[in-house]
Every structure is written in structure tokens, then in C-alpha cells.
Amino acid sequence: MNKLVSIVIPAHNEEENIIVIVDRIEKVFDTLPYRFEILVVDDGGTDKTLEVIENLAKAKDNFFYVEFSRNFGHQPALKAGLDYANGDCVISLDADLQHPPELFRQMLEKWEEGYDIVYTRRKEDKKLPFKKRKTSYYFYRLLNSLSDIEIEQGTADFRLLDKKAVKIFRDFKENDLFIRGLVKWLGFRQCPIDYIPEARFAGASKYSVSKMRKLAIQGVTSLSTKPLHTAAYLGFFFSMMSLLYIPYVVYAFYVGKQVNGWASLIMTVAFFGGLQLIILGIIGIYIGKMFMQTKNRPNYIIRSTNIEGIL
């Protein structure tokens, strides 16, 4: 079999993990009838990740790397890998070894069956901290409630894409990338594979609670206009509710009773003032995304690479 499989690995400060994950990938392909290449994208790290991947590139003919000029983020790094991968299919995974390369065999079997996209669903690991598990749960719940597509619990950026899907990704010019949502939006024949994540081999997780929150907002606003509709419905609902107060005001006027309740009045004004700021904030996010998109800046800037023809 002469098919080429590209392995894309975004890496940010993963110097201790790169050699280990490359070794495991090579052992997996020793048992598979495919040619393969590995493409690591160094996302502006501050450790020795670049030095490690440069040494691997000198020693291995099928090892390639792209170095960003600064830290652009995980999603642009993943996009860069898809942009420069040459395989008949592309498998993306993180460098921390929580995505087991041994799952490649199942993914490739599904691909050979005719599926264009094979994505993975992480089973809940009871060993993870309660806060981490709940953060992940509410992340997907918020995303699905406010977007137009359904992203399954535990879905991440560990997946196989046929070259047809990869070709479409290369044409995307979106400034605010949310690739796992775009994968569902693409359609094609998709198939899930469940797996149990392994423990991170070395280093610390790059996704804090604040980054997960930012990613959720980015995903919702990239895939849907539902938040704008929700803001409009809220405004309509509270406008209708305010009409219920009119009979009381009319009654108080004719019977000569003073309208008391400064505390409740201030509370009401503060509540609706806050609501208006939330609605304006939602609108502002969309306008801000449009503003950034009109600049037409690239998703990333490449500082160095061993791929011919890029620089």
C-alpha cells in the first residue's frame, strides 16, 4: 500500500514530550502498511522545543517542522499543519501523549471503510480533578445550547481528515478559528471512536479555565448568531413584562397613593442596565470579529521551516 499519512502535532513548550511521541508514532507505523510523515508546528514556545524538532528533522527524512514567529495559539497551529500536510489523510493530535497514537490503527481502518472524517470522543476519566471534569462538561453544554451544530461531549482535536476535507480547510480564511466546530459543519461521512485519555507525559496543560471560557465564546460566535437572537428575545420579554406595571401606576395615580419603593426601583434600574450592557457586549463581540476579519491578516506567520517552497 502506497498511501501517505500525515501526522500533525501542534506544540507549545513540549520539549520533553516530542521525542517520546515521535518514537511511539514510529512504532505504530512499523505495524501498518502506510508511508507516513510527521509535521510538528512550534507555536512560539519559550523552551527547547524548536531545538529538539530541528535535530529530529536533520535525522529523519519524513520529519518536518514549522516555527511560528510568536505564539498564535493552538487552533492556528493546527491550521498550519493542515495547510502544509501532503498526505492522503491527515491525523492531528496533541503533543502531551494524552491522545494515544495506538488509536491510529482503528482510525485508518474506518478511513479505509469509506469515512472521510474519523473523530475521537474522550471518555470521562474519573481520575481527573472534579473542577476539570465539570469545566469540560459545561464547556460543551454552553457550546451546544448556543450554536447551530451539535458537538459531542469529549470531542477534541484528535481526528483523521481525508484529503478532500483538508483541501476545504485550506480555503478557510476565518480570523477566529474553531476547528472542532468547523469539522462538524463540513458534513461528509463521519465516524466516532471512543478512547480513554492517557496521563500527560510531561509539562502542564495549556488550557486553563479562562482559556476554556474564551474558546467556548469563540466557538459560539464563530458558528452561530444565536446569542444575538437570544439578546433580542430577552429585550422583547422584559419589555412585555414592564407593561404589567402600568395598571399599578394608573391605580396609584387615581387613588392618590404615592408610588414608593426607591430600593426596588434602583435594583430594577441596575438589573436592566446590566442586561443592556450584556446585550451590547454580545453585539460588540460580533462587530469586533467583523472588524478583525476585514483586516485580512494571516492566521499565523512562519519564522522558519524545513519544508521547501514556503519561505
Side-chain angles (χ1 to χ4, degrees):
M1 189 176 292
N2 202 34
K3 292 181 179 179
L4 175 66
V5 179
S6 296
I7 309 299
V8 170
I9 307 174
H12 178 70
N13 292 340
E14 301 285 2
E15 62 175 312
E16 297 177 75
N17 295 323
I18 294 297
I19 293 178
V20 180
I21 193 170
V22 168
D23 182 61
R24 283 181 57 176
I25 289 172
E26 290 177 337
K27 287 179 179 177
V28 169
F29 277 97
D30 284 341
T31 65
L32 295 173
Y34 298 94
R35 294 182 298 119
F36 73 99
E37 65 175 14
I38 299 174
L39 173 55
V40 177
V41 181
D42 179 29
D43 184 23
T46 55
D47 65 355
K48 295 182 180 179
T49 298
L50 180 62
E51 181 181 332
V52 172
I53 61 180
E54 285 178 331
N55 290 334
L56 286 170
K58 292 175 184 177
K60 301 176 185 294
D61 294 334
N62 65 339
F63 189 94
F64 303 93
Y65 73 90
V66 169
E67 179 203 4
F68 282 174
S69 62
R70 63 171 178 84
N71 177 230
F72 282 91
H74 182 270
Q75 299 294 286
L78 189 53
K79 175 69 162 57
L82 296 175
D83 287 344
Y84 296 108
N86 295 310
D88 295 293
C89 69
V90 178
I91 299 176
S92 61
L93 73 163
D94 291 343
D96 57 11
L97 290 165
Q98 289 188 303
H99 298 159
E102 289 73 19
L103 210 61
F104 290 177
R105 178 180 293 275
Q106 288 179 252
M107 299 170 82
L108 289 166
E109 285 174 355
K110 292 295 183 183
W111 178 54
E112 292 290 356
E113 289 176 13
Y115 290 99
D116 304 300
I117 298 172
V118 183
Y119 62 95
T120 60
R121 293 183 302 202
R122 184 185 67 249
K123 291 185 177 179
E124 186 174 282
D125 186 359
K126 300 297 183 181
K127 295 179 182 179
L128 285 175
F130 177 80
K131 183 179 180 181
K132 179 69 175 177
R133 285 186 280 123
K134 282 298 180 184
T135 300
S136 178
Y137 170 77
Y138 285 115
F139 169 80
Y140 287 101
R141 186 171 180 180
L142 173 65
L143 200 61
N144 291 328
S145 63
L146 292 177
S147 65
D148 294 325
I149 63 173
E150 184 77 17
I151 300 178
E152 297 165 63
Q153 179 78 22
T155 305
D157 292 311
F158 183 23
R159 69 176 68 86
L160 178 151
L161 297 174
D162 184 82
K163 62 181 179 181
K164 296 192 296 292
V166 173
K167 184 179 179 180
I168 294 173
F169 262 107
R170 289 174 180 166
D171 293 333
F172 284 157
K173 304 299 181 184
E174 297 185 24
N175 182 266
D176 226 3
L177 289 167
F178 184 66
I179 292 178
R180 71 187 69 173
L182 291 173
V183 167
K184 294 296 288 185
W185 176 86
L186 277 179
F188 288 114
R189 292 191 65 196
Q190 302 197 17
C191 175
I193 293 178
D194 293 323
Y195 77 102
I196 299 175
E198 298 183 7
R200 166 177 271 274
F201 181 77
S205 173
K206 309 302 185 297
Y207 273 106
S208 61
V209 175
S210 60
K211 285 188 176 181
M212 287 287 284
R213 188 187 306 115
K214 181 181 178 181
L215 186 64
I217 294 172
Q218 179 178 323
V220 169
T221 54
S222 296
L223 299 170
S224 172
T225 57
K226 274 189 178 180
L228 292 174
H229 295 178
T230 302
Y233 293 146
L234 279 173
F236 180 77
F237 172 76
F238 284 110
S239 294
M240 293 298 102
M241 289 292 292
S242 66
L243 296 178
L244 299 178
Y245 196 63
I246 294 177
Y248 171 71
V249 174
V250 173
Y251 169 78
F253 175 79
Y254 280 106
V255 300
K257 184 178 178 181
Q258 296 294 325
V259 181
N260 299 318
W262 283 105
S264 60
L265 178 62
I266 294 300
M267 184 182 69
T268 303
V269 170
F271 172 78
F272 283 104
L275 182 64
Q276 288 175 339
L277 288 175
I278 291 172
I279 294 172
L280 287 173
I282 293 171
I283 297 171
I285 289 172
Y286 280 95
I287 294 175
K289 290 168 75 74
M290 292 170 59
F291 171 71
M292 295 303 297
Q293 190 67 41
T294 57
K295 292 178 178 291
N296 201 29
R297 292 173 181 168
N299 292 123
Y300 53 84
I301 298 172
I302 296 176
R303 180 176 179 274
S304 67
T305 181
N306 68 332
I307 302 175
E308 293 183 6
I310 295 182
L311 298 177

